[in-house]
C-alpha cells in the first residue's frame, strides 16, 4: 500500500487522472531493467531497445542473472535505472566535447552516475566521486575500478570538506540523498521509510549540501541537481531557493516530446530560466526522477584549492618505470608513481589535479592501482586487469569458456591447461576479468576473495 499522505501530496504536482495512473503503475507496473554499456570496453552496441536520452543505454525485456554473466564482472556494462541516465544528455548539452573537465560527483555511491560521468568527461578529464558514508564509498571504489577508465578519484568526505576548493570544478553533480518516492515501485523498503517528516528533513539537508558546495564551482560552471523523488520541496523549491540565494541561471536543453519527460522552468533574475525535468514511470520506461541544470554566474574569479596536508606520491626509478609501462597499451599518456608501497597509473594531463585532491582530501582510490613491486617486477592487482587499456597484446592471455570463467569468478580451481606458465590475463569473450598465475600444473586463481560470486 502507498502511504496516504504521499497519495494526497500528488495533487500538488499532477492532475487527478495522472496521479491515478502513477499510483497504478507504482502498484502494478513492472520495473524495467536497463544497462549502460562501457564504450571503452564494448566496441559494438548490441541490438536492443535504446534508452532515448543516453547513447549507451539499453532497455532489456527481462532481468537476466547479471551475477552469472562474466562480462558484467568485466565492467562491460553497468546496470543502471534508465531515467537517471538522462544526466548524460544534460552534460552533453552544457559541456559538449570540451576537454580537461574537472567534475565533482558529490553524492556518488554506488557509482551509477560516476561511471557515466567518467565516460563522458573522457580520458583528459577527471571525476572526483565522493561519498560521505565510508562503507558505501568502498563499494563505489569497487564499481569505479570495475568500470576501469582510470580518470576517477574516489573520496570519502562530507560536502563541507570541499570548502577549501574555490571556483575549482567545471561541473558539480549533486544527486542528493532524498525521500526516494521515485523508488516506490522498485524498492518496497522506500515506502516503509517514507514520511512527510522525512521529506522535510531531506529538503533541509539538500539545501545544506548545495550551500556547502556552491563555492567550489567555477563561475560559468554547471551544477546538475537531481533526486529520485517527486515532491516539490526537494525539487523545484530547492532549485528556486538556490536561484534566490546565488547568482545563477539555467541552460537551454532541448527535449523531444516523444521522450515524455515533463519539463518546467524556474525563473532567475534576468537570466535564462532554469529548466527542470520530471520522469514518471507511467510515462517513461524508467523510475521516478527529477533533474535541473544550473549555470553559476560571475566571471574571472581565481580558482584555488586547499594546501596539501601531506605528500603521498613517490617517484619510481626510470628503469623500473620502463618495465611497469609494458603492462599498459599506451604508456606514453601515463605516469607511474608509488603510493604506500603500491604502483598507480595516472594520465599525464590530469596528474597535477589528482595530486591536489589526493593530498588534501580523504581518498579511497584513484587512477589505476597496478600492483606491488618485488625486486623491480610488478605483481599485478585486480584493478589493472579491468583497466580498459591493459596491454592485452604483450601479456599472456587465457580465454575461458563460460563454465570455467564462472569457476574462476567463484575463486575455485580452474584447469591449469588453459594457462601459460607465469602470469595470465584471464578473459571471457575477450573481456579481461582478472589474473591467474600458473606454476607447473597449478593455476593460482588471483581473483579477489571479497569479489567472488557465491551463488551456484
Ligand atoms: N549518485 C549515486 C548513483 O548514481 O549511483 C546515487 C546517490 S544516492 C541518491 C545519494 C547518496 O548520498 C547516498 O550514497 C548517500 O549515502 C549519500 N549521502 C547521505 N547523506 C549525505 C550527506 N549529508 N551529504 C552528502 N551525501 C550524503
Amino acid at each position: 500500500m502507498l502511504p496516504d499522505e504521499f497519495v494526497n501530496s500528488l495533487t500538488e504536482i499532477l492532475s487527478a487522472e495522472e496521479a491515478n495512473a502513477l499510483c497504478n503503475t507504482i502498484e502494478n507496473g513492472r520495473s524495467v531493467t536497463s544497462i549502460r554499456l562501457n564504450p571503452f570496453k564494448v566496441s559494438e552496441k548490441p541490438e536492443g531497445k535504446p534508452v532515448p536520452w543516453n547513447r549507451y543505454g539499453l532497455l532489456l525485456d527481462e532481468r537476466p542473472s547479471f551475477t552469472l554473466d562474466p562480462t558484467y564482472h568485466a565492467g562491460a556494462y553497468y546496470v543502471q535505472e534508465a531515467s537517471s541516465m538522462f544526466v548524460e544528455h544534460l552534460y552533453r548539452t552544457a559541456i559538449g566535447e570540451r576537454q580537461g573537465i574537472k567534475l565533482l560527483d558529490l553524492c556518488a555511491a554506488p557509482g551509477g552516475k560516476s561511471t557515466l560521468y567518467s565516460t563522458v568527461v573522457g580520458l583528459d578529464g577527471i571525476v572526483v566521486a565522493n561519498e560521505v558514508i565510508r562503507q558505501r564509498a568502498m563499494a563505489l571504489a569497487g564499481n569505479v575500478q570495475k568500470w576501469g577508465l582510470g580518470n576517477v578519484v574516489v573520496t570519502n568526505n562530507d560536502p563541507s570538506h570541499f570548502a577549501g576548493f574555490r571556483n575549482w570544478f567545471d561541473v558539480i553533480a549533486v544527486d542528493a540523498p532524498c525521500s526516494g518516492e521515485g523508488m516506490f515501485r522498485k524498492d518496497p523498503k522506500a515506502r516503509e521509510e517514507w514520511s512527510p517528516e522525512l521529506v522535510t528533513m531531506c529538503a533541509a539537508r539538500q539545501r545544506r549540501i548545495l550551500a556547502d558546495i556552491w563555492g567550489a564551482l567555477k563561475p560559468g560552471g554547471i551544477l546538475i541537481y537531481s533526486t529520485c523523488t517527486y515532491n516539490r520541496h526537494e525539487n523545484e523549491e530547492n532549485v528556486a531557493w538556490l536561484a534566490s540565494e546565488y547568482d545563477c541561471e539555467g541552460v537551454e536543453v532541448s527535449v523531444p516530446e516523444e521522450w515524455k519527460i515533463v519539463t518546467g522552468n524556474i525563473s532567475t533574475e534576468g537570466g535564462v530560466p532554469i529548466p527542470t525535468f520530471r520522469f514518471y514511470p507511467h510515462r517513461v520506461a524508467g523510475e521516478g526522477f527529477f533533474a535541473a541544470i544550473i549555470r553559476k554566474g560571475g566571471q574571472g574569479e581565481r580558482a584555488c584549492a586547499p594546501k596539501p596536508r601531506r605528500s603521498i606520491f613517490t617517484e619510481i626509478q626510470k628503469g623500473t618505470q620502463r618495465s611497469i609501462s609494458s603492462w599498459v597499451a599506451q604508456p606514453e599518456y601515463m605516469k607511474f608513481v608509488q603510493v604506500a608501497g603500491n604502483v598507480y597509473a595516472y594520465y599525464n594531463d590530469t596528474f597535477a589535479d589528482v595530486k591536489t585532491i589526493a593530498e588534501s582530501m580523504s581518498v579511497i582510490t584513484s587512477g589505476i592501482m597496478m600492483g606491488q613491486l618485488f625486486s623491480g617486477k610488478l605483481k599485478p592487482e585486480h584493478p589493472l586487469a579491468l583497466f580498459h587499456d591493459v596491454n592485452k597484446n604483450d601479456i599472456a592471455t587465457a580465454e575461458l569458456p563460460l563454465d570455467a570463467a564462472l569457476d574462476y569468478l567463484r575463486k575455485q580451481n580452474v584447469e591449469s591447461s588453459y594457462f601459460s606458465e607465469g602470469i595470465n590475463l584471464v578473459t571471457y569473450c575477450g573481456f579481461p576479468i582478472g589474473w591467474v598465475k600458473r606454476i607447473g600444473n597449478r593455476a593460482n586463481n588471483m581473483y579477489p576473495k571479497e569479489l567472488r560470486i557465491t551463488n551456484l
Side-chain angles (χ1 to χ4, degrees):
M1 277 284 284
L2 291 169
D4 286 344
E5 285 130 316
F6 165 73
V7 176
N8 295 337
S9 75
L10 290 178
T11 56
E12 290 168 25
I13 50 168
L14 290 171
S15 67
E17 195 186 331
E18 278 223 46
N20 246 334
L22 172 61
C23 290
N24 199 11
T25 307
I26 296 175
E27 297 271 38
N28 308 312
R30 197 169 63 95
S31 287
V32 184
T33 301
S34 44
I35 59 171
R36 184 171 40 77
L37 301 167
N38 185 341
F40 286 83
K41 296 190 178 183
V42 179
S43 44
E44 262 177 55
K45 194 172 173 180
E47 302 238 319
K49 233 169 143 191
V51 173
W53 42 80
N54 188 295
R55 62 174 77 159
Y56 309 118
L58 277 180
L59 301 166
L60 306 185
D61 290 333
E62 50 192 36
R63 193 178 177 88
S65 168
F66 294 114
T67 312
L68 296 179
D69 175 10
T71 71
Y72 167 72
H73 301 279
Y77 59 89
Y78 192 98
V79 183
Q80 186 175 27
E81 194 284 298
S83 304
S84 63
M85 295 183 201
F86 180 70
V87 294
E88 176 165 332
H89 182 66
L90 296 180
Y91 177 94
R92 287 190 190 283
T93 300
I95 304 293
E97 301 296 321
R98 248 171 69 200
Q99 300 204 312
I101 293 294
K102 295 193 288 249
L103 184 149
L104 170 61
D105 185 9
L106 186 66
C107 312
K113 293 185 193 65
S114 301
T115 52
L116 181 156
Y117 288 128
S118 99
T119 309
V120 294
V121 302
L123 303 180
D124 49 48
I126 55 166
V127 172
V128 177
N130 179 70
E131 168 57 43
V132 67
I133 298 172
R134 189 165 177 88
Q135 216 184 346
R136 289 177 61 79
M138 301 307 280
L140 167 67
N143 284 330
V144 162
Q145 284 170 339
K146 191 156 84 175
W147 199 245
L149 302 202
N151 59 354
V152 181
V153 183
V154 177
T155 58
N156 172 218
N157 285 95
D158 185 83
S160 60
H161 297 168
F162 286 91
F165 289 88
R166 307 294 301 171
N167 311 314
W168 205 80
F169 290 99
D170 301 285
V171 181
I172 298 185
V174 176
D175 189 34
C178 69
S179 60
E181 296 158 359
M183 291 294 128
F184 278 0
R185 172 167 69 166
K186 224 175 154 183
D187 178 9
K189 228 175 96 209
R191 300 183 197 191
E192 287 160 29
E193 286 169 3
W194 186 92
S195 68
E197 293 73 32
L198 180 68
V199 170
T200 308
M201 189 278 278
C202 288
R205 180 169 61 186
Q206 289 148 357
R207 285 188 190 191
R208 259 196 330 269
I209 292 173
L210 289 169
D212 277 345
I213 212 64
W214 186 252
L217 185 62
K218 275 183 187 167
I222 296 294
L223 176 81
I224 299 177
Y225 178 73
S226 56
T227 72
C228 58
T229 209
Y230 300 117
N231 70 76
R232 294 182 63 84
H233 310 295
E234 296 176 69
N235 295 327
E236 286 86 349
E237 286 178 18
N238 272 351
V239 176
W241 168 81
L242 191 84
S244 71
E245 289 287 306
Y246 301 103
D247 176 12
C248 62
E249 63 173 356
V251 174
E252 278 165 24
V253 178
S254 83
V255 168
E257 221 166 276
E258 61 268 24
W259 289 2
K260 299 202 175 115
I261 299 166
V262 177
T263 55
N265 270 319
I266 288 170
S267 56
T268 55
E269 259 177 41
V272 176
I274 299 170
T276 58
F277 308 90
R278 287 180 158 267
F279 294 69
Y280 292 108
H282 63 286
R283 288 173 154 262
V284 304
E287 302 305 315
F289 186 63
F290 171 88
I293 180 162
I294 298 142
R295 190 188 303 280
K296 185 172 176 175
Q299 53 183 318
E301 280 136 71
R302 213 160 55 87
C304 53
K307 290 226 158 59
R309 283 191 299 176
R310 58 193 173 265
S311 166
I312 60 167
F313 297 102
T314 319
E315 293 289 329
I316 297 172
Q317 284 180 341
K318 278 248 152 60
T320 314
Q321 288 254 6
R322 228 169 290 127
S323 89
I324 293 171
S325 64
S326 65
W327 290 84
V328 305
Q330 300 179 88
E332 62 275 24
Y333 298 115
M334 308 211 79
K335 179 173 179 65
F336 307 101
V337 288
Q338 271 189 300
V339 182
N342 288 305
V343 177
Y344 282 77
Y346 297 97
Y347 291 102
N348 287 321
D349 289 351
T350 49
F351 180 66
D353 291 331
V354 171
K355 193 164 180 291
T356 299
I357 295 153
E359 294 183 343
S360 58
M361 305 303 281
S362 167
V363 172
I364 306 283
T365 189
S366 60
I368 296 296
M369 212 267 240
M370 296 182 70
Q372 276 190 335
L373 288 172
F374 292 93
S375 313
K377 281 183 81 180
L378 188 82
K379 178 179 177 237
E381 284 285 347
H382 189 63
L384 176 58
L386 298 193
F387 178 39
H388 76 100
D389 208 26
V390 63
N391 191 356
K392 281 196 254 178
N393 295 329
D394 292 344
I395 301 170
T397 55
E399 170 72 14
L400 298 184
L402 181 61
D403 283 356
L406 289 174
D407 283 346
Y408 173 76
L409 294 168
R410 292 181 184 113
K411 205 168 169 57
Q412 291 174 351
N413 289 335
V414 181
E415 179 60 47
S416 64
S417 58
Y418 286 115
F419 308 105
S420 315
E421 188 70 12
I423 293 285
N424 292 248
L425 183 64
V426 183
T427 64
Y428 171 77
C429 290
F431 294 103
I433 54 174
W435 302 107
V436 154
K437 184 172 185 182
R438 176 175 171 178
I439 307 165
N441 288 333
R442 240 191 49 233
N444 179 15
N445 185 336
M446 293 165 70
Y447 197 67
K449 206 165 99 198
E450 64 283 7
L451 296 183
R452 74 187 191 281
I453 59 177
T454 47
N455 64 339
L456 291 174

